[in-house]
Amino acid sequence: MTKDHQDDTAPPSDIELSVKALESLLVEKGLVDQEAVDALLELHENEIGPSNGRRVVARAWADGGFKRWLLDDPNGAIASMGYVGSQGDQVRVLENTDDVHNLVVCTLCSCYPWPLLGLPPVWYKSAPYRAQAVADPRGVMRQFGSEIGDNREVRVWDSTSEMRYLVLPQRPPGAEGWCEEELRDLVTRNSMIGVEEAQRPATTQTP
C-alpha cells in the first residue's frame, strides 16, 4: 500500500455510481475533459477540501486558549469557526505529543470529517490501508515518509458514522511566533489523518 494506491474494494454507493455514470456520459459526449475532471478532484482532495482543517490546526498552534477549547469541546470550537456539516457532527480531536502519535482509519468503510478535510483520498478508502493501518501503523507511516521513534506510542483510531477524528499534529520546530496564516502552510491533509507529521519550515522561510 502506497499513497498512490488505487485499490478500493468497497462497493460504491448508489450516489457514487450515478456520479460516475454522469461523468462517463459527459466525457463520452466531449462535454467534459477527463484530465480536467481528475485535476479538479485532486485539487479538492488535497487543497480546497482540507483548508478548513488547516485553519483549525493553525489557530490551535497560535492560540493556547483555543487549543484547550478544541481538545475539551471540539465540536463547539470547530462550530465557532463555521465548519459544520452532516459528516462532521461529532468530531474528536487527537493531539500528537512527544509521547503519543495518533493515526486515523475507518476499517469498515470510509467515514471521514468532510467539513474539515473535504473528500477522502482514494488510499484512505482502500482495503490495503484499512488493514495495514491497524496491523502495522508504523509501516504505513513509513510508506508516507514518516518515521516514528520507538519511544513514542502509536494509537490507531477507528472512525465510525457516529464519531470522526481529526489529528492535531505537533507544531514543528522553527515556527515559533508565526501567525496563523503562515502556520497553515505547514499543515497537510495527511498530517491531520496521522500518516505524516506536519511540514517543517523551509530553511529559507522567515516568520
Side-chain angles (χ1 to χ4, degrees):
M1 196 278 300
T2 67
K3 58 172 80 175
D4 295 323
H5 203 293
Q6 297 295 307
D7 177 23
D8 185 1
T9 57
S13 66
D14 290 342
I15 293 178
E16 288 177 308
L17 289 173
S18 298
V19 170
K20 283 292 185 183
L22 179 59
E23 177 187 328
S24 298
L25 180 62
L26 292 174
V27 170
E28 182 181 341
K29 296 290 186 181
L31 299 175
V32 172
D33 180 71
Q34 183 63 59
E35 291 186 2
V37 172
D38 293 341
L40 183 61
L41 289 174
E42 181 73 14
L43 182 65
H44 275 273
E45 282 186 9
N46 293 294
E47 298 298 331
I48 297 175
S51 63
N52 291 347
R54 289 190 182 106
R55 290 186 174 92
V56 171
V57 170
R59 180 166 296 182
W61 282 350
D63 183 341
F66 179 80
K67 177 182 175 181
R68 288 189 293 272
W69 185 16
L70 182 66
L71 295 174
D72 292 341
D73 178 19
N75 297 292
I78 292 168
S80 75
M81 298 183 68
Y83 307 141
V84 294
S86 60
Q87 299 297 320
D89 292 338
Q90 293 297 323
V91 175
R92 180 175 176 183
V93 176
L94 312 168
E95 182 185 11
N96 285 351
T97 68
D98 290 339
D99 299 317
V100 175
H101 182 95
N102 298 283
L103 183 144
V104 179
V105 66
C106 182
T107 56
L108 295 180
C109 49
S110 57
C111 293
Y112 195 73
W114 286 36
L116 296 172
L117 299 186
L119 300 173
V122 172
W123 57 260
Y124 180 85
K125 300 182 289 184
S126 72
Y129 174 75
R130 300 204 308 259
Q132 190 179 358
V134 175
D136 182 22
R138 294 179 188 274
V140 167
M141 288 182 282
R142 199 171 295 120
Q143 293 181 47
F144 282 84
S146 294
E147 191 73 43
I148 303 300
D150 293 337
N151 60 315
R152 294 177 73 187
E153 177 187 358
V154 176
R155 296 177 182 172
V156 179
W157 301 82
D158 193 358
S159 290
T160 68
S161 58
E162 288 78 30
M163 180 63 68
R164 291 167 170 80
Y165 299 99
L166 175 74
V167 173
L168 176 60
Q170 288 182 290
R171 185 177 64 185
E176 295 79 8
W178 286 25
C179 68
E180 287 184 34
E181 185 175 353
E182 293 168 322
L183 291 170
R184 287 176 206 160
D185 292 336
L186 304 179
V187 186
T188 66
R189 176 201 62 193
N190 289 355
S191 70
M192 293 183 284
I193 297 173
V195 294
E196 293 177 353
E197 306 233 48
Q199 294 182 354
R200 289 177 174 268
T203 55
T204 57
Q205 194 168 5
T206 57

